[in-house]
Amino acid sequence: MAELERKHGGTPVPTEWTYAPAPESRDIVSIRDRYGLYVGGEWIEPRSGKTFATIDPSTEEPLAEIAQAGPEDVSLAVEAAREAFENGWSALAPSERAKYLFRIARILQERSREFAVLESLNGGKPIRESRDVDLPLSAAHFFYYAGWADKLEYAFPNRQPQPVGVAGQIIPWNFPLLMLAWKIAPALAAGNTVVLKPAETTPLTALLFCDVLRQAELPPGVVNIVTGDGSTGAEIVKHPGVDKVAFTGSTDVGKAIQRELAGTKKKLTLELGGKAANVVFDDAPLDQAIEGIVNGIYFNQGHVCCAGSRLLVQESIYEQLIAKLKRRLGTLRVGAPLDKNTDVGAINSRQQLDKIEELVQTGRDEGAEIYQPPCRLPERGYWFVPTVFTNVAQSYRIAQEEIFGPVLSVLTFRTPDEAVEKANNTPYGLSAGVWTEKGSRILAMAQRLRAGVVWANTYNRFDPASPFGGYKESGFGREGGLHGLEPYLRF
Ligand code: NDP
């Protein structure tokens, strides 16, 4: 409620603006009490006999009981995928494969509100983001790869592209449906079949997606969804019937997968962590840069592998920029993910919140200065106030490690050389941002930054036609674009 107190030229003006709640209804979603595994086009009970609960991280309310797939379940899924690959899917006319992908894309569009609500309920991200980013991009990925399905000969001329076989795909919890789309769309377009494992904390949109597959009448076994924890992922990776592994997640698990697959014939792509530098020069349009910084680190609670988590500011504009940034932080609304006014939703899990809190404490202990705007957090659920650290040295853990939360570390530089050196001083190399009005400087920086994606005067922009992926400990292989098809093909 706005208080009408202050008089301005005789007219009462509010001293404090707040928004009325604008909750999106969750009635559009019906969640079952319990889900099995989606194998060979059917729901099956897990042979493991085990289940676990999935919750709403903003309230800690249980949403459904989820099957925990064990080794036998993974084998069933891989066999179903193999059978579908050999008995029809790989030999299907590419233009027919394309039709299924187009159908899936259209159904996702038609049911986008339902998916967006479920994504926010299960993952904690603001409905505004799941509605305006995750869902449109997921559908766009299927549309994009549908277009390539019957043009592979033209995409890779004189190379006779063939599908690889069964793809084992393991995805994280930060963009559950979007990561599913990034994985499944190119795999199917190239003629492969799939066994996919969603993250333990966010299985619900992948399970709803099974309904889309049925609606699209995709042949049984072409896509199989097995839920479970890291052990289920490990079973997929080592299963001898899997020809290609695609993983998005932490660098540690990525390294373990690479060790497991060393010496085998399996193809592998890894999309791992990041610690991106967002570099602001003194000639940058400041207000626009502030929006880019905020979007870079507070979008999706900072649970973004390419988040602009290290801000590098040219020294001459440091004071001005930090003052503006702090002011802007005070306007961010933290709260219920289903409220359309919410900018920053819930942290995805207790475990992730613990990790953020631990790293933030190291920032304090090592001597950085913390700023958090006044903010009242809900009593239940997992929450973290948008945070800025200044006085950060390059050696601090908050400048080196992926926090994967709404926490920004600010460093300064004087010259472009120093900016490049600091930006590249990380084991990662996934993304970077550059803010300057000079086109030549953008191009020069983009050449020198060791990052798979460099955004100029914007941040966190995605398009299915544009490849995405990293250098160094951020992994290898590209997703999106023509490049994203290659890992799913043999030549
Ligand atoms: P993980 O890398 O553990 O999870 C990613 C996926 O891999 C999940 O589906 C996970 O299952 C599965 N998995 C876990 N262990 C194995 C294994 N040994 N073999 C095969 N698959 C496995 O990330 P976390 O969820 O544990 O997050 C930890 C940290 O990783 C975060 O704090 C963040 O820093 C980083 N991260 C980075 C992401 C990125 O996109 N770069 C995405 C997610 C996390 P389950 O869900 O059951 O654990």
Side-chain angles (χ1 to χ4, degrees):
M1 278 293 186
E3 281 172 42
L4 295 175
E5 274 177 1
R6 206 147 41 92
K7 297 262 178 187
H8 186 75
T11 317
V13 293
T15 52
E16 185 193 325
W17 287 100
T18 56
Y19 294 80
E24 177 75 53
S25 163
R26 59 183 276 184
D27 293 350
I28 192 165
V29 169
S30 77
I31 302 175
R32 294 190 223 155
D33 294 340
R34 185 187 161 87
Y35 289 85
L37 305 165
Y38 191 72
V39 173
E42 303 289 335
W43 291 105
I44 62 165
E45 282 298 310
R47 300 292 193 272
S48 72
K50 293 187 190 146
T51 62
F52 61 94
T54 190
I55 64 164
D56 172 349
S58 71
T59 58
E60 299 170 59
E61 166 204 357
L63 294 174
E65 208 50 38
I66 305 297
Q68 161 77 36
E72 210 186 323
D73 300 302
V74 169
S75 281
L76 285 175
V78 174
E79 279 160 28
R82 175 67 54 197
E83 202 179 312
F85 180 75
E86 280 169 7
N87 299 331
W89 184 251
S90 59
L92 197 67
S95 56
E96 291 301 311
R97 283 205 306 267
K99 284 184 195 167
Y100 287 106
L101 290 168
F102 277 122
R103 245 182 249 168
I104 292 170
R106 280 197 300 268
I107 298 168
L108 280 179
Q109 283 186 322
E110 281 161 19
R111 299 179 63 175
S112 65
R113 199 166 140 240
E114 183 185 357
F115 270 94
V117 170
L118 190 61
E119 198 74 304
S120 286
L121 262 179
N122 198 198
K125 64 173 69 197
I127 185 72
R128 217 155 37 82
E129 291 177 5
S130 40
R131 184 194 65 193
D132 299 348
V133 181
D134 297 61
L135 260 297
L137 274 177
S138 300
H141 255 81
F142 279 101
F143 275 123
Y144 176 78
Y145 281 110
W148 277 123
D150 62 351
K151 300 175 194 69
L152 298 176
E153 300 280 347
Y154 301 93
F156 303 99
N158 302 319
R159 294 179 67 193
Q160 296 172 336
Q162 300 295 320
V164 174
V166 175
Q169 306 183 318
I170 299 159
I171 56 171
W173 40 262
N174 51 347
F175 293 92
L177 186 73
L178 185 58
M179 289 302 104
L180 172 151
W182 279 29
K183 297 276 181 285
I184 293 182
L188 297 195
N192 303 278
T193 56
V194 163
V195 176
L196 178 135
K197 186 193 95 64
E200 189 181 348
T201 56
T202 53
L204 289 182
T205 46
L207 293 167
L208 184 60
F209 183 74
C210 301
D211 206 30
V212 172
L213 298 174
R214 284 188 158 185
Q215 225 180 317
E217 296 176 3
L218 191 76
V222 173
V223 171
N224 305 275
I225 307 281
V226 290
T227 45
D229 60 13
S231 66
T232 310
E235 287 299 331
I236 295 176
V237 169
K238 69 178 187 214
H239 197 288
V242 168
D243 302 298
K244 189 244 166 339
V245 173
F247 172 80
T248 298
S250 62
T251 296
D252 285 347
V253 174
K255 285 180 181 172
I257 291 176
Q258 198 173 7
R259 277 194 295 272
E260 174 75 37
L261 296 189
T264 72
K265 283 192 185 153
K266 290 182 195 175
K267 288 182 83 153
L268 173 65
T269 41
L270 296 174
E271 203 269 87
L272 309 176
K275 191 74 189 173
N278 205 357
V279 185
V280 185
F281 285 95
D282 59 5
D283 62 346
L286 269 199
D287 290 327
Q288 200 181 319
I290 293 290
E291 291 313 304
I293 294 163
V294 166
N295 177 33
I297 185 64
Y298 303 115
F299 170 64
N300 200 29
Q301 297 73 248
H303 300 331
V304 184
C305 48
C306 51
S309 51
R310 284 184 303 149
L311 176 63
L312 298 186
V313 187
Q314 197 152 20
E315 223 171 70
S316 49
I317 53 163
Y318 175 77
E319 301 291 341
Q320 193 188 355
L321 184 138
I322 294 297
K324 273 181 185 281
L325 182 61
K326 287 181 176 172
R327 208 160 45 237
R328 179 68 176 87
L329 239 62
T331 67
L332 289 179
R333 293 178 55 83
V334 183
L338 284 185
D339 190 320
K340 287 172 232 164
N341 297 316
T342 294
D343 297 306
V344 179
I347 300 301
N348 183 265
S349 65
R350 175 81 251 171
Q351 193 192 8
Q352 189 58 28
L353 182 58
D354 290 346
K355 181 182 167 190
I356 297 169
E357 283 172 348
E358 187 219 317
L359 275 164
V360 164
Q361 190 54 43
T362 69
R364 286 192 169 103
D365 295 344
E366 287 185 300
E369 201 173 297
I370 189 167
Y371 175 78
Q372 294 178 316
C375 179
R376 193 187 301 159
L377 298 178
E379 274 166 20
R380 298 213 58 188
Y382 313 132
W383 306 94
F384 201 82
V385 180
T387 300
V388 175
F389 273 114
T390 50
N391 257 340
V392 179
Q394 288 191 79
S395 58
Y396 292 177
R397 284 182 66 191
I398 53 167
Q400 288 292 330
E401 294 181 31
E402 186 176 47
I403 301 175
F404 227 60
V407 182
L408 179 67
S409 300
V410 187
L411 299 102
T412 58
F413 67 91
R414 289 185 187 164
T415 63
D417 283 348
E418 190 187 348
V420 169
E421 202 178 311
K422 284 185 167 164
N424 289 342
N425 180 15
T426 161
Y428 298 110
L430 191 56
S431 57
V434 180
W435 297 83
T436 170
E437 66 160 20
K438 292 187 186 63
S440 56
R441 183 177 273 165
I442 289 170
L443 295 175
M445 289 294 289
Q447 291 282 333
R448 298 175 68 196
L449 291 169
R450 290 286 291 162
V453 179
V454 179
W455 284 292
N457 293 330
T458 186
Y459 208 91
N460 273 339
R461 301 282 292 186
F462 294 94
D463 189 285
S466 174
F468 182 87
Y471 287 107
K472 302 193 281 184
E473 293 201 8
S474 294
F476 49 78
R478 296 290 177 264
E479 295 186 291
L482 199 51
H483 302 67
L485 282 167
E486 247 179 291
Y488 291 99
L489 292 167
R490 342 186 237 109
F491 300 98

